[in-house]
């Protein structure tokens, strides 16, 4: 079965927050943030929601593919920052774009979410259950960030990316993946939801924000992601020389450099956009893919490795020939 990416789209909030502006919010400098993370600015919502950004990106992916929303069979939104616990973002997107025949649900695997959602679509396609899907990664992380914590607020951005994919049984198999979770290390990157608040148990409600152990995450990402890409390539029987680009989760530039060194692959094979969008969790891979296709870096016929890693801890990689 051939997984065909026929259209991509992305949506970013209109407002940009630069490192220079952050200097007046927390004790930091543009130089420090650039040197440690490669990030110069990020888009931050002043009203855009996960649902509105996801809808915008989905419409663009469908337009790029020349497909009608009415024919879409499956919508999965990967997100860890929805506005509403109920209904899910995917159902809001379904209503907004008019995909009345689609089944729609959300998936939360943090920064691996888009990749896991794509793997889910591939698995449905392989079983013959569905033959097309819109897969979206969308986040408004700025509302779950502690803007007094300089260790985290410098890293994240808001945005959404989407792909329209179809199964083609006439063409050879072009997709392989590996995916993992390690819940025993989960508490190194957390964000609380709501406190227990019922007639039998009341406690003072507290605002909850993203908390992380930056060094642990750094080491996990560099070690585990390179090992999982090596494992994937062996499983798929693809040599590194045949990989055109590694489209990785954009956590920060130093993690990507570390992975390229471990894989002994030239950094030029790792497109990045973290400099102007920051870390957008599940939106990072589809937004980078969309940008790389639009600017002519990624083209039909090329072989890509996609890799996501983040809270959970979750991680995985897939190889696809476009
Ligand atoms: N500006 C200036 N100084 C800062 C800042 C800041 N924004 N943040 C921390 N510092 C200070 C610290 O207080 C510390 O000062 P001290 O030595 O006086 O105590 C010093 O800089 C070094 O701090 P470290 O936390 O050790 O800095 P480190 O080199 O580890 O860089 C960073 C921190 C950038 C967060 C790094 O650990 C990292 O990239 N981790 C990965 C985290 C990540 O990408 N998370 C994203 C979510 S998960 C994911 O997407 C996979």
């Amino acid at each position: 079965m051939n997984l065909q990416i026929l259209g991509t789209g992305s949506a970013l909030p209109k407002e940009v927050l630069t490192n220079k502006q952050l200097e007046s919010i927390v004790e930091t400098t543009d130089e420090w943030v650039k040197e440690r993370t490669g990030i110069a600015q990020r888009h931050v919502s002043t009203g855009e929601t996960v649902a509105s950004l996801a809808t915008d990106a989905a419409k663009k992916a469908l337009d790029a593919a020349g497909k009608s929303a009415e024919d879409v069979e499956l919508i999965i939104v990967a997100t860890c920052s929805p506005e509403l616990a109920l209904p899910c973002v995917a159902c809001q997107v379904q209503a907004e774009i008019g995909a009345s025949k689609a089944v729609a649900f959300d998936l939360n695997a943090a920064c691996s979410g888009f990749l896991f959602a794509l793997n889910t679509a591939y698995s449905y396609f392989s079983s013959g259950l569905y033959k097309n899907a819109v897969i979206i990664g969308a986040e408004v992380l700025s509302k779950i960030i502690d803007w007094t914590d300089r260790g985290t607020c410098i890293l994240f951005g808001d945005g959404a990316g989407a792909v329209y994919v179809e199964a083609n049984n006439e063409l050879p198999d072009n997709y392989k993946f590996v995916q993992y979770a390690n819940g025993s290390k989960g508490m190194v990157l957390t964000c609380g939801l709501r406190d227990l608040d019922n007639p039998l148990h009341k406690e003072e409600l507290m605002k909850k924000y993203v908390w992380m152990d930056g060094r642990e995450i750094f080491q996990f990402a560099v070690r585990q992601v390179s090992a999982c890409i090596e494992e994937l390539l062996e499983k798929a029987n693809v040599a590194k020389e045949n990989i055109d680009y590694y489209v990785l989760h954009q956590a920060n530039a130093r993690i990507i450099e570390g992975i390229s060194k471990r894989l002994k692959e030239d950094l030029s094979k790792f497109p990045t956009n973290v400099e102007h969008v920051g870390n957008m969790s599940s939106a990072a891979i589809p937004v980078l893919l969309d940008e790389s296709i639009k600017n002519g870096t990624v083209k039909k016929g090329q072989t890509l490795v996609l890799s996501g890693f983040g809270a959970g801890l979750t991680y995985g990689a897939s190889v696809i020939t476009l």
Side-chain angles (χ1 to χ4, degrees), residues 28 32 36 111 150 189 212 214-215 249 252 254 279 309:
T28 192
W32 194 96
R36 302 285 175 120
C111 309
R150 66 179 182 172
L189 178 50
M212 66 171 192
R215 286 205 178 160
H249 168 52
N252 72 53
R254 283 198 304 152
N279 178 348
F309 43 95

Side-chain angles (χ1 to χ4, degrees), residues 101-261:
K101 289 189 221 127
V103 67
F105 59 88
D106 289 2
L107 182 157
N108 177 358
C111 309
S112 311
F114 174 80
L115 193 76
F116 286 15
L118 195 62
N119 296 342
T120 305
Y122 175 80
S123 306
Y124 275 130
F125 292 174
S126 299
S127 75
L129 208 51
Y130 303 119
K131 53 187 185 308
N132 72 52
V134 175
I135 307 300
I136 305 162
E139 305 288 2
V140 176
L141 298 168
S142 59
K143 64 177 180 278
I144 56 169
I145 298 300
D146 178 355
W147 289 95
T148 64
D149 175 13
R150 66 179 182 172
T152 51
C153 75
I154 53 152
L155 294 171
F156 298 97
D158 301 335
V163 296
Y164 171 84
V165 285
E166 267 183 20
N168 186 328
N169 291 315
E170 311 299 311
L171 296 171
D173 201 10
N174 68 336
Y175 191 79
K176 288 267 184 309
F177 67 87
V178 293
Q179 56 182 11
Y180 294 103
N182 180 2
S184 68
K185 289 267 185 190
M187 298 317 278
V188 302
L189 178 50
T190 65
C191 182
L193 270 175
R194 291 162 70 145
D195 287 322
L196 197 55
D197 181 28
N198 65 41
L200 303 182
H201 182 103
K202 278 194 187 293
E203 51 187 58
E204 200 185 333
L205 298 183
M206 302 230 313
K207 282 202 164 186
K208 308 274 177 74
Y209 297 108
V210 169
W211 179 89
M212 66 171 192
D213 180 335
R215 286 205 178 160
E216 272 282 334
I217 291 166
F218 195 96
Q219 284 170 13
F220 145 73
V222 174
R223 280 193 204 134
Q224 219 67 57
V225 174
S226 359
C228 127
I229 291 174
E230 297 276 13
E231 183 202 335
L232 167 79
L233 295 180
E234 199 178 319
K235 178 179 166 184
N237 201 17
V238 178
K240 282 187 204 149
E241 304 81 79
N242 296 326
I243 302 300
D244 293 287
Y245 290 109
Y246 293 84
V247 179
L248 304 189
H249 168 52
Q250 302 287 294
N252 72 53
R254 283 198 304 152
I255 289 179
I256 294 166
E257 281 160 28
I259 295 170
S260 105
K261 269 197 197 122

